[in-house]
Amino acid sequence: MCGIIGYIGERNAREVILEGLKKLEYRGYDSAGISIISKNSLKTVKKVGRIKELEKDKKVKDLFGKIGIGHTRWATHGKPSEKNSHPHLDCKKKIAIVHNGIIENYQSLKKLLISEKHKFNSDTDSEIISHLIEKFYEDNLEEAVIKALRLLEGTFGLAVISKDKEEVIAAKRGSPLVIGIGKNEKIISSDVAAVLKYTDKVIYLKDDEVAVVHKKTVLIRKINGQKVDPKIHKIKWDIKSMEKGRFKHFMLKEIFEQPETIRNALRGRLSRSKIKILDEKNVRDIKRIILTACGTSWHSALIGKYLIERIAKIPVEVDYASEFRYRKPLILEGDLLVAISQSGETADTLAAIREAKKLGASTMGIVNVVGSTISREVDFGIYLHAGPETGVASTKAFTSQVTALLLFSLFLAQTRSIRIPCKTISELKKLPKKVKDVLKNSKKIREISKSFKDSKNFLYFGRGINFPVALEGALKLKEISYIHAEGYPAAEMKHGPIALIDKEMPVVFVATKSELSKKIVSNIEEVKSRGGRIIIITNPKNKELKKFAEYVIEVPSTDEAISPIINVIALQLLAYHIADLKNLDVDKPRNLAKSVTVE
Ligand code: G6P
């Protein structure tokens, strides 16, 4: 989704901003723009399409100055076009703003501003902000911004410059914003990824805070005027983890990082047979757990339900965050809402947390991005320590989420004196090695992918704890290859999807050893007798199934509770290779955003 970058310091702001915009590309965007102040003039260039195009533009090459802002836009109000992309200016072309979020009352404010003779150039909600600031601006930019913000309903991450001021004003409500603290320079961004090259010290702005950023200082106030003493955080991600290295795509790199990222999720949390992951007092009185998330994270929540109910015997509900927040949920005493999120910024997940809190539930996060809004708003939580995930299609974050949910289930069992299954513990310890073994299938899966790259549809089936793996396999494929794919519990096949099966239809069965593996055999036979093209994910010893399959992908045997982590990696590779063989932009699939910060 939209990304913000701002700079004030001693370097050429254009370079820092273009570099920053490239770091924000992975979030998804359709257009981009930049404004630079140079010698008291404000210059702005915008372009539809990739940052590369913006960078090549002669007008951009001619930009020189030490203060500037830039933006990647992901269209919400108004289609992708030059006029709708940011920065937006005021009538006198003196002020420039970049905005993330949605201004809900923009129509009434726009009417008011038009009646006061303001001329608008775009169809966006964002443009009213530059005009409102213009309306209030005499000689104090911060004051004018605060007056404008007081009128806004909705969400914003905002950076503002004015050609007569040596400062950048930043503000936030609902959309993330960080300020990177360099010695004689400051970098403002919606994403810590764009700041790391320059500094590892950041201030996370909180809702309704406004920062006046000079090259040497940052002064923060609340919109109500109250002064704020900001906390400076140190970021532990190293810049190398944000580069592709020897891999063709970030997604492939991230798939191959999984032995290490899973090891990081386990580190220090599993000693002998003891699990140390949270403070016991936080979970002692829990009677019910509600897992909530969006997208891939919602699939890990579905697996979490199987794990927690089976291992810790606590009832669990799973809700899409977007549904939870509006369905007037019943919260009972002893309810814990667990929000799962890679980015820690997903708007619906954040809103679900706020709703649950309002209704009296305690809240916990399972989050990857340290310091993200969700991680700061929940009562307590577990970090994944998977490092930055750049590919839009989530891979390593998913397997780390499932690992964290498994540790959480074991921890809950431990606090209730329920016997922890020894096999699960011993297999967890072997997991990073087994993940390495699945990755050895990559070449073979690429070969298999060659015969499916032109398929138009795919079906994925799994049972029990591997049903969500079928959903995730289908999601990965549709996200990056644009092949229509659906996942189902295998027993549901007869209730609809079987009608689709013919000799063109690839059908993937996740059929590793489990309590239900015998039952899946009859589904496989039914597909076989209708001529479907069968791919089976199974364990080496499972000879019985192999005779039905056109292709078999063998993955290491493990405990059933851990099998989703191993099985999904085979499906990540299948989706990746099919998309790559189709020459698609795997890391930046069309229309998708890495971090969905609006409803
Ligand atoms: C977007 C991303 C998905 C992700 C989902 C939830 O749709 O493209 O990869 O699973 O948001 O994001 P979160 O950061 O909350 O896990």
Side-chain angles (χ1 to χ4, degrees), residues 311-335:
I311 298 172
K313 318 285 179 221
I314 298 174
V316 177
E317 285 182 19
V318 180
D319 251 315
Y320 279 117
S322 54
E323 291 299 314
F324 178 87
R325 63 184 287 193
Y326 289 120
R327 77 169 163 82
K328 303 202 173 21
L330 288 180
I331 294 292
L332 310 170
E333 206 188 314
D335 275 353

Side-chain angles (χ1 to χ4, degrees), residues 2-6 24 27 69-71 98-101 149 156-160 168-180 187-192 195 202-211 213 220 233 345 371-373 376 597:
C2 305
I4 287 178
I5 176 93
L24 298 173
R27 299 163 62 92
I69 52 177
H71 192 263
V98 285
H99 166 234
N100 285 358
L149 296 184
F156 50 80
L158 186 70
V160 184
V168 181
I169 309 289
K172 160 191 154 60
R173 180 189 294 157
S175 265
L177 214 60
V178 295
I179 304 170
I187 307 100
I188 295 131
S189 182
S190 50
D191 191 323
V192 95
V195 169
V202 301
I203 296 171
Y204 294 103
L205 271 197
K206 300 205 180 93
D207 277 355
D208 288 326
E209 286 182 354
V210 180
V213 185
I220 302 181
H233 298 257
E345 302 296 348
S372 55
T373 312
R376 286 181 281 125
T597 48

Side-chain angles (χ1 to χ4, degrees), residues 492-511:
E492 276 297 298
M493 198 177 91
K494 289 199 191 68
H495 301 288
I498 198 165
L500 299 171
I501 293 167
D502 60 15
K503 61 183 184 6
E504 304 292 322
M505 179 64 89
V507 184
V508 181
F509 281 97
V510 183

Side-chain angles (χ1 to χ4, degrees), residues 294-297 340-346 349 374 389 392-394 401 475-476 479 592-596:
C294 303
T296 287
S297 301
I340 308 171
S341 175
Q342 188 287 125
S343 61
E345 302 296 348
T346 304
T349 312
I374 291 179
E389 190 179 68
V392 165
S394 181
Q401 286 166 348
L475 178 64
K476 283 294 84 85
E479 279 180 312
L592 293 180
K594 180 73 187 155
S595 181
V596 179

